[in-house]
Amino acid sequence: MAHTCRGTISLHGAFIHTEDTCNFTISNGGTQTFHLKASSEVERQRWVTALELAKAKAIRMMEEDDAEDELPKETEKNELQIALRALNSKLEDLTTCNDLIVKHGSALQRSLCELEQLSLGDSPDLHQKVKAVNERATLFRITANAMINACSDYLDLASSQGKRWQRALQYEHEQRMRLEEMVEQLAKQHSRLEAVARKEAKTQQAAAALVEQSKAHAALQPGNIVSDEDEEEFHDAVEDTQEFELEIPDFRHRHEGSTTSFSSELDTENDSGSEADTRHKHTRAVIVSMKGRAEMDTEIEKEIFEDAGDLPGSQQIVRRKRRMRIADKPNYSLNLWSIMKNCIGKELTKIPMPVNFNEPLSMLQRLTEDFEYSSILDKAAKCSDPHEQMAYVAAFTISSYSTTTTRTSKPFNPLLGESFECDRRDDYGWRAVSEQVSHHPPAVAQFTEGREWNMYQEFTMSSKFRGKYLNIIPLGITHLEFPKSGHHYTWRKVMTTVHNIIVGKLWIDQSGEMDIVNHTTKDNCHLKYYAYSYFSREPPRKVTGVVTDVEGKVHWVLSGHWDDRIEGAKVFESAGMMKGDKPVLETGPSVLLWKRVYPPPEAARYFHFTVLAAQMNEMEESVAPTDSRLRPDQRLMEDGRWDEANEMKLMLEEKQRLKRREKELEAEKAAAEGRPFVPHEPVWFRKERDPYTGNLIHMYKGNYWECKEAQQWNACPDIYV
């Protein structure tokens, strides 16, 4: 189904799990779950088998609909075919009349010759011959009239159809000219708005500089010097503080119930991916913060690259030499509209995109890039204050979006069973394992172990292309745990929007609200990503947040921009003070929680990759045969052979479709024989019940690195060509 009612689950994107002998669940990846119970194990298996078959049929029907959408519309071809058939019929009539005229004309000519010979000899058969000539002359006249009528009909039909085609051609030409004018106007408006915005920014900067100069000049005037007698009247040093407003959500109602409130709250969300999140009530508060900033401890930064012995099995790690960039991408031209016009309204994972829109990384590798600023988690692990630790965790979640300002290319969709390992214990201090565990819907399971923290997630998403923009709504939940303190955090990523798909330069925005929950202490961090708008007073890419305890008391406030830096300040006083109808929170000086490391200027020539991104697809020895580094189309694209990469991509996708059809036939056969059908099973992950959200997710088995050491890859499927 292309569209579903609220509270339903699309069958083609459903996860079907069996729990015990009688119970099974149907979910869409985290936001909606149905718990069903059968009367017996046999009945449960019948239901599961029937649902799996229906899911396979729904996927097949959806793919057939997508294939039909790629072909020209039948309604557009019917009129042309009818007109061509009519013209062809008239042409056949003309050919028949022509043959009859030739035939009857020859017969009439022979009769006239015979009549001439008989008239010379006064033959007695003269009367019969004259009669025959008259008959043939009559047939010739009838045939000639039919020929004239057929020619007239053909001329009328051709004239009417010609005028109609001419009007249609003129209409199409006008539509194309109108579309070109509209696109040109949009581009001009976009450029004009950018110019106005730049001019306004320069004007504001100049005005601010002028105001500062005026203040400095006024402070130096003799009449403005404060005497000792008047000093007591100005003891409130407001110049050492700064004020701004912040929204504080009310979480108190969430903690009155059980500890499963987080999962129940997720289950009540609308799956439509709406930008407006109305789950919490908000209170506007005035933050009075002391000026100045306490920078991040540089000693901690040094420890990140000097201490690589805290992770199991990392006692004798030698730092390897890695590449710093990849080759420049070739300059290939592409008609964007010819591809985009048939993709409106489809799922992103269903669009047959050429590699020209991709970057030479898979989604597995792109998700691993989130750990580029893992030093924040190392810092958080050393925090004794749980609220300060929450602030650093929040800064880490924000840092994962920093590269999206320039990384507008689409990563490769992983094949079912594709995996990726990334061992960076020698420099960053962590190692990660990822695997594509589902294809319909697409889902990635990932596990990362750091020095004093572990993180795992099952990432799935919903995406729609709307012509002007593309919405990507993450559905999976990320887990972070610190074994020493026992703190366990969960959160879900915010919505990503890609703008200017058709006209103008591509740019990406993050918007929505994120709740980071500490399930051990019940603390919460509420982050708000402000959507960019020409009419908003807020600066672009702004993020604000508050860290609250179980009672709703604010302990930290966060502010910054997700593409540059995040600062945090501890709240010293939050009770009793009001400014109008808004509470006042006093904080200490800001602490730099995270600051982005920008890629070099020449990175634009190679997909705006950071150093870590450039090293993701670097070849390594002894990896699993399903590793993303070994994917041939992705490797061909990185080498600059895009035409070959497109051909290889089609071959890989066709091989994957054939395997799925084999699985569907096997499922149908198992249903006919009354035996259970075993769907695809991941190699490095298995389904388990998440104790924090109550959902079934794929958890890491814990045997990948042991299998790599022994080079035991027998369980890996054959997915590449």
Side-chain angles (χ1 to χ4, degrees):
M1 296 190 332
H3 302 282
T4 58
C5 301
R6 184 173 182 179
T8 62
I9 297 177
S10 298
L11 190 58
H12 69 270
F15 291 99
I16 303 172
H17 309 286
T18 55
E19 295 183 326
D20 50 34
T21 57
C22 296
N23 296 313
F24 64 98
T25 61
I26 306 173
S27 68
N28 64 349
T31 59
Q32 200 109 32
T33 303
F34 294 156
H35 298 269
L36 305 175
K37 183 177 181 179
S39 59
S40 64
E41 183 177 1
V42 175
E43 184 181 358
R44 184 217 66 183
Q45 190 56 47
R46 288 178 179 174
W47 272 102
V48 172
T49 303
L51 288 171
E52 289 288 354
L53 290 174
K55 176 182 176 181
K57 184 178 179 181
I59 294 172
R60 188 163 55 249
M61 292 175 61
M62 183 177 59
E63 291 179 347
E64 291 175 356
D65 292 340
D66 292 343
E68 290 177 359
D69 291 340
E70 296 173 6
L71 298 175
K73 295 181 179 179
E74 293 296 330
T75 56
E76 296 178 355
K77 300 195 306 183
N78 286 339
E79 294 184 2
L80 179 61
Q81 291 176 354
I82 293 172
L84 289 176
R85 282 198 297 267
L87 288 174
N88 189 45
S89 176
K90 295 297 181 182
L91 186 60
E92 290 178 356
D93 293 343
L94 287 174
T95 304
T96 304
C97 291
N98 180 66
D99 294 340
L100 290 174
I101 286 176
V102 172
K103 177 181 177 182
H104 295 313
S106 299
L108 180 59
Q109 188 175 7
R110 287 195 303 270
S111 298
L112 289 174
C113 291
E114 294 175 357
L115 181 60
E116 184 180 358
Q117 293 175 0
L118 289 174
S119 62
L120 294 175
D122 295 329
S123 172
D125 298 331
L126 180 60
H127 180 71
Q128 295 294 332
K129 294 297 182 182
V130 171
K131 185 178 180 180
V133 169
N134 290 331
E135 292 176 354
R136 289 191 171 109
T138 302
L139 290 174
F140 182 81
R141 186 174 63 256
I142 294 173
T143 307
N145 291 333
M147 180 70 172
I148 293 172
N149 293 333
C151 289
S152 178
D153 293 341
Y154 183 83
L155 180 61
D156 293 340
L157 181 60
S159 299
S160 62
Q161 291 296 330
K163 292 178 181 178
R164 185 174 183 180
W165 293 339
Q166 187 175 4
R167 289 195 301 268
L169 183 61
Q170 182 66 23
Y171 175 77
E172 291 295 333
H173 178 71
E174 292 175 356
Q175 288 291 96
R176 180 173 179 178
M177 294 299 296
R178 192 177 296 111
L179 179 61
E180 290 179 357
E181 292 176 359
M182 183 178 64
V183 171
E184 184 178 359
Q185 290 176 2
L186 287 174
K188 289 181 179 179
Q189 291 175 3
H190 185 77
S191 301
R192 194 179 302 113
L193 286 172
E194 287 184 344
V196 171
R198 287 194 297 267
K199 183 178 179 180
E200 183 67 22
K202 291 180 180 178
T203 303
Q204 291 180 359
Q205 291 177 0
L210 184 60
V211 170
E212 292 294 333
Q213 291 177 1
S214 301
K215 288 182 178 179
H217 180 71
L220 295 176
Q221 297 298 320
N224 292 335
I225 299 177
V226 181
S227 64
D228 295 339
E229 298 175 358
D230 300 332
E231 187 175 359
E232 295 180 357
E233 298 179 9
F234 302 97
H235 65 277
D236 189 9
V238 294
E239 66 272 6
D240 293 333
T241 63
Q242 57 183 355
E243 294 185 5
F244 61 95
E245 292 189 2
L246 198 65
E247 290 185 356
I248 302 177
D250 184 10
F251 294 103
R252 286 173 293 181
H253 68 281
R254 295 179 46 171
H255 305 292
E256 295 173 359
S258 65
T259 59
T260 61
S261 60
F262 181 76
S263 62
S264 63
E265 181 178 308
L266 292 176
D267 292 339
T268 58
E269 283 190 273
N270 186 7
D271 193 26
S272 62
S274 173
E275 295 185 26
D277 190 349
T278 58
R279 289 179 295 169
H280 313 303
K281 296 181 179 179
H282 295 82
T283 302
R284 298 288 296 184
V286 178
I287 309 299
V288 181
S289 176
M290 295 178 61
K291 288 186 177 180
R293 181 180 298 113
E295 297 289 343
M296 183 184 291
D297 190 355
T298 56
E299 296 299 324
I300 297 297
E301 296 294 327
K302 294 180 180 178
E303 292 178 8
I304 297 169
F305 300 100
E306 293 178 357
D307 183 12
D310 296 337
L311 203 60
S314 62
Q315 285 77 8
Q316 297 181 352
I317 296 178
V318 179
R319 185 178 300 179
R320 57 170 294 185
K321 186 177 180 180
R322 294 181 171 88
R323 65 186 184 184
M324 303 301 293
R325 55 162 294 173
I326 63 174
D328 292 351
K329 61 181 179 180
N331 186 16
Y332 278 88
S333 61
L334 186 68
N335 188 351
L336 177 65
W337 178 247
S338 63
I339 298 173
M340 290 291 113
K341 65 181 181 180
N342 292 325
C343 301
I344 297 176
K346 295 184 181 179
E347 280 282 347
L348 178 64
T349 54
K350 304 297 181 186
I351 298 176
M353 288 289 188
V355 300
N356 306 58
F357 293 98
N358 290 70
E359 60 182 12
L361 291 177
S362 74
M363 179 59 75
L364 306 179
Q365 295 165 319
R366 189 69 181 267
L367 286 175
T368 309
E369 283 188 61
D370 289 355
F371 300 97
E372 182 172 3
Y373 298 97
S374 59
S375 58
I376 307 175
L377 296 180
D378 297 331
K379 172 68 174 177
K382 299 179 183 298
C383 294
S384 57
D385 182 4
H387 305 120
E388 182 184 8
Q389 185 181 76
M390 173 73 84
Y392 278 103
V393 172
F396 171 77
T397 65
I398 298 171
S399 69
S400 62
Y401 296 108
S402 60
T403 61
T404 60
T405 54
T406 52
R407 298 275 295 281
T408 56
S409 298
K410 174 180 174 290
F412 279 78
N413 292 329
L415 302 173
L416 183 61
E418 184 175 337
S419 63
F420 176 68
E421 66 161 76
C422 189
D423 190 349
R424 301 304 296 261
R425 292 173 297 171
D426 59 333
D427 47 11
Y428 287 94
W430 51 263
R431 61 183 181 182
V433 179
S434 306
E435 183 181 2
Q436 183 80 358
V437 295
S438 174
H439 186 63
H440 285 292
V444 176
Q446 184 184 70
F447 179 82
T448 308
E449 50 184 332
R451 294 189 181 92
E452 299 180 18
W453 52 268
N454 296 320
M455 183 180 292
Y456 60 92
Q457 65 174 323
E458 182 175 293
F459 180 82
T460 181
M461 65 181 184
S462 173
S463 57
K464 283 292 184 180
F465 175 64
R466 299 300 186 186
K468 290 184 179 180
Y469 60 90
L470 174 72
N471 281 340
I472 302 174
I473 305 98
L475 300 177
I477 296 175
T478 304
H479 295 253
L480 171 65
E481 56 185 3
F482 295 96
K484 288 187 178 180
S485 63
H487 292 170
H488 191 107
Y489 298 86
T490 59
W491 67 87
R492 179 183 296 163
K493 296 184 176 182
V494 296
M495 183 177 70
T496 300
T497 304
V498 185
H499 296 271
N500 291 348
I501 295 293
I502 302 299
V503 180
K505 183 180 179 180
L506 288 176
W507 62 280
I508 293 178
D509 194 22
Q510 317 292 340
S511 60
E513 300 182 12
M514 176 191 294
D515 289 328
I516 306 173
V517 179
N518 185 338
H519 292 271
T520 305
T521 63
K522 308 305 178 187
D523 296 334
N524 187 289
C525 179
H526 182 78
L527 296 176
K528 181 175 182 180
Y529 291 72
Y530 291 80
Y532 176 74
S533 173
Y534 284 115
F535 308 103
S536 175
R537 296 182 179 179
E538 303 294 345
R541 299 161 184 164
K542 179 182 176 181
V543 182
T544 60
V546 289
V547 177
T548 57
D549 59 17
V550 66
E551 300 297 332
K553 181 181 179 181
V554 180
H555 291 267
W556 277 72
V557 295
L558 310 176
S559 63
H561 301 82
W562 53 262
D563 66 327
D564 183 38
R565 63 168 59 203
I566 293 296
E567 298 175 353
K570 188 175 182 179
V571 176
F572 291 147
E573 184 63 40
S574 61
M577 295 179 292
M578 300 290 292
K579 185 175 182 180
D581 59 344
K582 302 172 184 176
V584 177
L585 305 179
E586 293 185 358
T587 69
S590 298
V591 177
L592 182 63
L593 302 177
W594 163 74
K595 183 178 180 180
R596 179 185 178 187
V597 178
Y598 286 85
E602 64 271 13
R605 301 201 302 264
Y606 49 92
F607 304 95
H608 296 277
F609 278 3
T610 62
V611 174
L612 179 62
Q615 296 168 351
M616 281 290 168
N617 204 42
E618 186 176 8
M619 288 298 296
E620 295 186 10
E621 298 180 355
S622 305
V623 298
T626 55
D627 197 278
S628 298
R629 300 177 181 89
L630 304 178
R631 180 165 174 167
D633 55 346
Q634 186 172 302
R635 181 62 56 186
L636 288 169
M637 183 189 180
E638 182 180 311
D639 294 340
R641 300 153 64 184
W642 287 17
D643 292 336
E644 298 177 49
N646 279 317
E647 296 176 1
M648 180 59 66
K649 185 171 181 288
L650 293 176
M651 295 172 62
L652 290 173
E653 292 173 350
E654 183 61 27
K655 182 176 181 179
Q656 184 172 236
R657 281 191 288 268
L658 289 175
K659 285 191 174 182
R660 187 172 67 252
R661 293 191 188 104
E662 292 175 359
K663 280 285 186 181
E664 292 172 359
L665 293 175
E666 184 180 345
E668 293 176 358
K669 184 178 180 181
E673 296 175 357
R675 56 182 176 86
F677 169 71
V678 180
H680 171 78
E681 292 290 339
V683 179
W684 312 113
F685 295 83
R686 61 170 171 263
K687 293 178 184 177
E688 293 183 5
R689 178 71 61 183
D690 185 355
Y692 297 97
T693 64
N695 298 323
L696 280 172
I697 63 173
H698 287 85
M699 300 289 290
Y700 179 52
K701 295 180 180 179
N703 61 336
Y704 178 86
W705 302 107
E706 290 76 8
C707 291
K708 179 183 179 180
E709 184 177 356
Q711 287 295 293
Q712 296 179 355
W713 307 120
N714 300 331
C716 294
D718 177 23
I719 60 176
Y720 297 141
V721 176

